[in-house]
Amino acid sequence: MPGIDWSLSRDTTTERVIGRLKELIGERKFGPGDKLPPERELCSLLGVSRPILREALQALAALRLVRIRQGDGVYVTSLKTDLLLEPLRFVLRLDPTAIEQLYQARQVIEVGITELAASSMTPEAERRLEEILAESEAQVEDPKAFSRTDIELHETIARLVTNPFLTVVIESLNELSRAGREFTCTVPGVTPRALEEHRRIVAALKARDGRAAGRAMKEHLENVLAAWQSAREGAVGGQGAKEGESG
């Protein structure tokens, strides 16, 4: 195909094929929904055998970058954030320590974002944040609904910075932490406390006090992590007790 460099670096292992195809998708040589060239043509363009190509395509399908349609061909997926994060969500379910690392990442990133957001506050942003607080108050007894408004508040704050990269990062972190949030919100007392912490964050933002807003966000995220750790320990302890009883 004209305009595309299909050459692989040195050896033609499956990993190299995966890497080259990821580069082409990342460079938007093939965009969302595009069909890749037929298998025979891809083998010729990349200089690899069919088994190697098929193995590479299966790996890309597992990463949600392509979809293999039997008898039709291989298509680039929508490449939407929630789809691409599916493999990471699986990792988080397998490794509880990854959840803690995720919250640590949120602390590092969201505290800085909140400090920056204070200088970008507008009357419209104030109204929207107050609306979200009101929605959260109405849903304080509904963990799943509360977690949705929680995410909306954090993403609204991130959008105030008007940095597309940071917005994508926050949306990705929020998507990955969705299940953990819903789980934490079931712990008695967590949602009312989170609501009060959200109010302090919004109050500092409305006062255009970036430092105070950042401190309030840091305290909030530390408390959320502590609540998650406590809830998880309780869940693990309860499971252990049940196993002991059954034994």
Side-chain angles (χ1 to χ4, degrees):
M1 298 179 70
I4 297 180
D5 178 11
W6 294 93
S7 60
L8 300 174
S9 55
R10 288 190 287 189
D11 58 42
T12 56
T13 61
T14 301
E15 289 77 14
R16 299 289 184 184
V17 176
I18 293 170
R20 186 67 193 115
L21 291 175
K22 284 173 66 177
E23 287 174 0
L24 293 172
I25 293 172
E27 294 166 359
R28 288 300 196 266
K29 300 294 185 182
F30 296 100
D34 285 352
K35 184 177 182 179
L36 297 187
E39 187 177 272
R40 182 180 297 178
E41 185 178 348
L42 275 176
C43 287
S44 176
L45 291 167
L46 293 166
V48 297
S49 65
R50 286 193 175 187
I52 286 179
L53 176 64
R54 288 172 180 171
E55 188 177 348
L57 291 175
Q58 289 290 344
L60 293 176
L63 292 172
R64 304 298 191 267
L65 291 173
V66 302
R67 180 170 287 107
I68 301 172
R69 299 179 184 174
Q70 295 299 325
D72 186 15
V74 180
Y75 291 80
V76 178
T77 65
S78 65
L79 301 180
K80 290 183 178 179
T81 302
D82 59 341
L83 179 67
L84 298 180
L85 289 175
E86 283 185 12
L88 280 177
R89 279 196 288 268
F90 182 68
V91 171
L92 291 175
R93 287 197 296 270
L94 290 177
D95 183 6
T97 61
I99 291 283
E100 296 182 17
Q101 293 164 355
L102 175 62
Y103 276 114
Q104 289 170 356
R106 288 185 60 198
Q107 288 177 24
V108 171
I109 296 169
E110 288 199 62
V111 170
I113 285 177
T114 306
E115 291 177 352
L116 290 173
S119 61
S120 302
M121 283 291 287
T122 63
E124 181 181 355
E126 290 184 15
R127 285 193 297 273
R128 180 58 193 140
L129 288 172
E130 288 293 349
E131 288 172 357
I132 295 172
L133 289 176
E135 292 169 11
S136 296
E137 184 174 9
Q139 297 165 344
V140 77
E141 300 297 332
D142 184 338
K144 193 166 186 176
F146 186 91
S147 68
R148 285 197 296 267
T149 55
D150 173 51
I151 288 174
E152 177 61 22
L153 183 131
H154 285 264
E155 290 186 352
T156 298
I157 292 171
R159 285 193 291 269
L160 287 171
V161 180
T162 63
N163 182 317
F165 179 76
L166 288 175
T167 300
V168 170
V169 170
I170 289 299
E171 289 176 351
S172 300
L173 290 174
N174 283 334
E175 186 61 35
L176 286 171
S177 64
R178 186 179 298 276
R181 273 176 152 122
E182 292 179 4
F183 174 61
T184 304
C185 284
T186 63
V187 178
V190 164
T191 53
R193 185 177 67 186
L195 177 58
E196 289 306 311
E197 291 167 354
H198 285 168
R199 284 174 173 151
R200 286 197 289 273
I201 294 167
V202 172
L205 288 171
K206 290 171 68 176
R208 309 315 195 254
D209 189 338
R211 202 170 281 182
R215 284 197 302 270
M217 179 63 80
K218 183 174 185 293
E219 180 183 351
H220 169 57
L221 294 175
E222 287 174 346
N223 288 338
V224 169
L225 175 57
W228 179 85
Q229 290 170 328
S230 176
R232 181 179 174 276
E233 288 169 3
V236 172
Q239 181 63 32
K242 288 180 181 179
E243 290 174 357
E245 291 170 3
S246 64

